[in-house]
Amino acid sequence: MPTVSSEELAAAAGVNSAKLRKDFSYLGSYGTRGVGYDVEYLVYQISRELGLTQDWPVVIVGIGNLGAALANYGGFASRGFRVAALIDADPAMAGKPVAGIPVQHSDDLEKIISDNGVSIGVIATPAGAAQPVCERLVAAGVTSILNFAPTVLSVPEGVDVRKVDLSIELQILAFHEQRKAGEGAPAGPDADAPPVRGAAHAAAAAHTVNARTAHTDRKGPDGDMPAVMPA
């Protein structure tokens, strides 16, 4: 049966082998001295700790180009996630198969969540629809949300949100490209650049606030937004 040593794993992961062995000890896997770790069993232990050994039903809300691409992504099943339903507000989308799954109308969101025992939701709607969608998901029992919408969601305590912001990733790459070109290099030995990801997040947050302010100015004095979920 195939085995792997802590040194090999550490080299592949770019970490210290002693630290890796200590981390693995928390999983209850100490390996065998002089032999290493049973690969299959180690993968199972790590998967179990990550919650990937069970079936997690997921709903995707907003089946535009991004939502459809997510529905067609083949990596979910191999990691323990099953796309249980696709939901969209466009009546023309209802019943249309995407990745072999018929799209259901957002009017039935709560029933869909309940019938499938869903606790994880993916939001791929436009920014203006994301918060209303989030609130409906939470009210229906969803406690974890993966947000692809370009906005910051407000959720109650006990609900986890992970935001996927492609613009931040591009900003990080742009930062590295700028450094490669020698532009904006530190002025001296003490002029260290701030953490790249933190700076990108700060820039994105500022952009979000600015966009929200501009949007509010356009809405008029009442500031109300329609609680809809466009495709």
Side-chain angles (χ1 to χ4, degrees):
M1 113 181 10
T3 59
V4 62
S5 69
S6 59
E7 286 76 16
E8 291 173 310
L9 285 172
V15 297
N16 179 275
S17 61
K19 178 67 165 58
L20 181 138
R21 286 192 296 271
K22 181 178 179 181
D23 289 345
F24 278 177
S25 71
Y26 292 114
L27 302 178
S29 173
Y30 296 89
T32 303
R33 183 178 297 275
V35 176
Y37 297 91
D38 178 332
V39 173
E40 184 176 348
Y41 185 55
L42 182 61
V43 169
Y44 167 77
Q45 287 180 302
I46 294 174
S47 298
R48 182 189 61 190
E49 290 297 321
L50 294 176
L52 303 181
T53 57
Q54 58 180 300
D55 175 61
W56 291 100
V58 175
V59 296
I60 301 175
V61 185
I63 313 303
N65 291 334
L66 176 56
L70 292 171
N72 279 283
Y73 175 58
F76 290 136
S78 64
R79 298 299 181 91
F81 301 99
R82 171 176 55 85
V83 178
L86 306 177
I87 304 173
D88 198 273
D90 185 357
M93 291 289 293
K96 180 180 178 181
V98 175
I101 304 172
V103 176
Q104 301 181 66
H105 194 269
S106 58
D107 286 349
D108 300 321
L109 183 148
E110 288 77 9
K111 184 176 187 302
I112 295 167
I113 298 296
S114 176
D115 289 350
N116 290 278
V118 173
S119 59
I120 300 176
V122 177
I123 295 178
T125 68
Q131 185 62 44
V133 168
C134 174
E135 291 170 2
R136 289 184 64 187
L137 288 173
V138 171
V142 169
T143 53
S144 293
I145 294 173
L146 182 62
N147 178 33
F148 283 89
T151 187
V152 177
L153 298 176
S154 175
V155 297
E157 186 177 353
V159 176
D160 296 312
V161 175
R162 294 289 297 174
K163 179 170 172 54
V164 180
D165 194 325
L166 301 180
S167 65
I168 287 179
E169 303 307 320
L170 287 173
Q171 286 175 341
I172 292 170
L173 291 176
F175 174 88
H176 288 298
E177 286 301 313
Q178 180 171 297
R179 291 296 293 266
K180 291 173 190 175
E183 299 176 12
D190 297 326
D192 293 332
V196 182
R197 185 170 294 273
H201 274 287
H207 177 76
T208 299
V209 171
N210 182 60
R212 281 182 172 176
T213 302
H215 184 66
T216 301
D217 290 342
R218 291 196 301 269
K219 286 187 294 182
D222 58 352
D224 290 332
M225 293 180 62
V228 297
M229 293 190 295

